[in-house]
Structures are given as structure tokens and as C-alpha cells.
Amino acid sequence: MRYIIIGAGAVGGAVGGRLSEAGHEVVLVARGAQYAALRDGGLRLRVPEGEFTYRLPVVDGPAGLGVLRADDVLVLAVKTQDTEGALDAWGPAPVEGGGTAAERLPLLCAQNGVEGQRVALRRFRQVYGVCVWLPATFVEPGLVSAAGSPLTGILHLGVYPHGTDETARRIAADLEKSRFEAPVVPDLARWQYAKLLSNLANAVEAVAGPVDGEEALALVERVQAEGVAVLEAAGIAYTSPEEQREVRGDKITLLPLEDAPRGGGSSWQSLTRGTGTIEADYLNGEIVLLGRLHGVPTPLNDLLQRLANAYARERREAGSMPVGELVRLADEAVTAVENQRSGNQRSGK
């Protein structure tokens, strides 16, 4: 199979580079400065073993490939907010022997959150979800770092919305030859919702910096408690921290990489790069949506969603709000909701 990595940034670059290193055929898809850097200098992947350069085909859209092959696998690694644009471009792409990519090719959604694959299923017949545990950083155009060792990442795979099949197992076999662990599971959503709970901290990090002090850790605990309450109210299952630790074990240890600091997570990286967008609507915003559907207040996640979006829209510096100020705003948001509920109870609403 040939892997077409749609969104060759941190995650896409790490997956594409490792697949290529293991001998698999890979095409990278990128835009702007990243496209130019990959085209002119190749993909540079900095990992614990050193820095490697992969001279791979690079395109900025399906027209660069002409007719797609029947054995192509599309790996969607763009942020969720960019999903619609990517599907618009790649869904109608013609495939050899007739038909389109949306009709004939498997689409693997290697994204945070749970919404991208749902959007994809409106267009593509064969959609596969991925729970991405892959610490990777977009360092600069053309250069991606992945500090995990001995494995680069753990990528749970499954048919969306549920189940497994031979295509998922073939993809997993290729990934497992490429320094990933890739369990194929019928209940992928359990892993994705657990990852969603951990990703609720992304906005805290993006707005107020590293989550390593007592105040920040306590705030994250409150934010995630909201998420747990919402998932339980919605009847959505998720893997426990104990089950996750059992699967991860010591398979991924982050090692320091020269001239490639780990930096922050995906949301922090979006602000640092000044992209103008951030994935908060599909992380904290997913909890807010579920809370509204099931009658569970989510003032902390609502606050973080709004703040993260404002930071991205106004291109504010990542981590520039003092954590004490963020905690104060969080307390105010919770108090406002409590006061509103008390007022509604007094008025009989």
C-alpha cells in the first residue's frame, strides 16, 4: 500500500518518516512554507537515534498525483478544524479503474478529538479512527521531532464507528514495522474519549504555559472532572487511567533531542506558529457540546474554549496569561453558573 499523508506536520511527518524508513511508499501533502521546505530539502525527522532526511514525493493537493492508485491509503493528519477543506479536496479525486477516493479508498483519521472521523464518514465510505499517542513537535518548516523511545508512538486503530477488518490489520502491520505499536481494537471510541479527557489540558497549556505547577495541575484536574461528569451523563465509555498505563508501560520514554526542544502540545504549537486557528472547539468544545446536550454545566471547558479561540484569532503569545489569572477567571466562571442555577431554582425555572 502507498500512504498519502494529508497534513505532513508534527504527527503526519513523524508517521510518514517512520513508514518511509521501514521501506513503505509514502507521499507527503503540505501547504505553504512546509510544502516548499519538504519539496526543496526533504523531510527532516529528528529522533533519539539522530536526524534523518527523507526525500519523498510532495504535493499540495490531489492534482499533483493525477489519478490515485487503488492501493492508496489516505492518512488525514490535519487539525480537526481543517478537516472539511481536506475532504473537499481529496474526496472527489479519481482512482485508477474508476470511482473516487471517497468511494474506494480507506481514510485513516489520525487526529485529536472525535469529530474528524464523524465528518469524514459523511463523505468517505471507508473511515478508520486512530487514537494518537505520539509526542511530536513541528520545529520549523521541513523539520519535525519525535522524542519517543523505544517506540515513536502508540496508535490504536479501528473501523469507524466500531469494529475491525483486514484493511485495519494490514495498516497496523505496516505501522508496527515502523517503530509504532498499533493495536487494532473494535471499541476504538473508548480509547479516543480517554485521550480527549487528557487533551482538555491542551488549552490550559496554550493559554497559561506548561502544566507543571500546583495551581495549573489543580485547574486541569477540575477541567477533566467536568469532562468525566459529561461522559458519564452521556453514557460514553472510556478507558481508565490504569488500563492506559498498562498498555503504555515503559514503551515510550521522552528523550532530550539536541536543538529540538519538546515544547508544548498541539494547541500550544498552533499558537506558537501563529496559524490563526486552534482545535479547542473539538477538544474542550466537545465537552461543552455534550454538556449542553445532557444538561451538565461545563463552565471551565467553556471558558478554555473561548480563551483558546481568542488567543488563536488575535495571535497572542502562547502561555502568556499568568496561571493565577486563569484560575481567577475559572473561579468566576464556576460562580456565575452556580449563581444562575440558584436563581433559576428560586424562580421555579
Side-chain angles (χ1 to χ4, degrees):
M1 295 184 288
R2 180 175 69 168
Y3 291 89
I4 299 175
I5 311 294
I6 303 170
V11 169
V15 171
R18 286 306 204 187
L19 282 169
S20 176
E21 179 184 301
H24 302 291
E25 194 173 357
V26 174
V27 176
L28 304 177
V29 182
R31 298 177 298 178
Q34 178 72 340
Y35 167 76
L38 295 173
R39 178 197 61 200
D40 297 340
L43 170 64
R44 295 158 55 210
L45 179 61
R46 193 169 291 167
V47 289
E49 312 93 80
E51 182 174 310
F52 303 91
T53 300
Y54 304 98
R55 299 281 181 172
L56 303 173
V58 184
V59 299
D60 60 2
L65 290 174
V67 177
L68 300 180
R69 292 176 4 192
D71 64 349
D72 283 338
V73 174
L74 305 182
V75 180
L76 188 66
V78 299
K79 298 289 177 59
T80 303
Q81 63 267 28
D82 297 320
T83 296
E84 290 277 6
L87 297 176
D88 285 344
W90 287 90
V95 179
E96 62 184 5
T100 66
E103 295 167 329
R104 295 187 54 198
L105 299 184
L107 177 75
L108 206 67
C109 295
Q111 302 169 293
N112 283 333
V114 296
E115 182 65 13
Q117 57 206 7
R118 184 173 182 271
V119 173
L121 198 60
R122 295 178 183 272
R123 318 281 189 88
F124 278 74
R125 293 177 180 174
Q126 301 177 63
V127 176
Y128 298 81
V130 185
C131 181
V132 180
W133 284 336
L134 200 178
T137 300
F138 180 97
V139 180
E140 63 185 34
L143 176 60
V144 169
S145 71
S149 179
L151 291 178
T152 299
I154 300 177
L155 308 173
H156 282 75
L157 307 179
V159 176
Y160 182 75
H162 48 74
T164 66
D165 65 10
E166 183 58 28
T167 298
R169 287 186 283 272
R170 289 178 62 200
I171 294 169
D174 286 351
L175 289 168
E176 293 197 336
K177 296 172 185 174
S178 309
R179 295 181 180 263
F180 295 99
E181 185 170 292
V184 179
V185 295
D187 56 348
L188 181 67
R190 291 178 63 245
W191 298 91
Q192 291 180 315
Y193 277 103
K195 176 75 182 324
L196 174 66
L197 289 175
S198 68
N199 283 148
L200 299 180
N202 286 21
V204 176
E205 178 186 60
V207 171
V211 181
D212 53 14
E214 185 176 330
E215 274 190 304
L217 289 169
L219 176 59
V220 166
E221 186 174 342
R222 294 166 64 194
V223 170
Q224 292 175 338
E226 272 190 4
V228 167
V230 163
L231 295 187
E232 291 180 351
I236 295 173
Y238 57 94
T239 54
S240 68
E242 293 75 22
E243 186 175 359
Q244 295 173 61
R245 282 194 294 269
E246 183 179 347
V247 169
R248 291 181 184 179
D250 57 359
K251 298 170 185 175
I252 301 178
T253 299
L254 299 186
L255 301 179
L257 300 179
E258 186 178 354
D259 298 325
R262 168 74 177 106
S266 56
S267 298
W268 183 90
Q269 292 181 48
S270 291
L271 292 185
T272 300
R273 293 172 61 190
T275 62
T277 65
I278 200 166
E279 58 192 340
D281 284 346
Y282 306 100
L283 300 178
N284 307 89
E286 180 69 25
I287 296 302
V288 171
L289 171 61
L290 289 171
R292 290 169 180 166
L293 289 172
H294 296 280
V296 179
T298 57
L300 299 178
N301 281 279
D302 179 70
L303 171 69
L304 289 170
Q305 179 187 5
R306 289 185 286 105
L307 283 174
N309 280 325
Y311 266 58
R313 184 174 58 252
E314 299 166 13
R315 289 177 167 78
R316 299 188 205 173
E317 181 183 353
S320 57
M321 178 180 289
V323 68
E325 173 65 9
L326 180 57
V327 170
R328 184 188 67 78
L329 292 174
D331 290 340
E332 287 182 354
V334 170
T335 299
V337 168
E338 292 174 346
N339 289 341
Q340 182 179 27
R341 295 180 75 183
S342 297
N344 289 343
Q345 289 173 352
R346 287 194 299 270
S347 64
K349 291 183 181 179

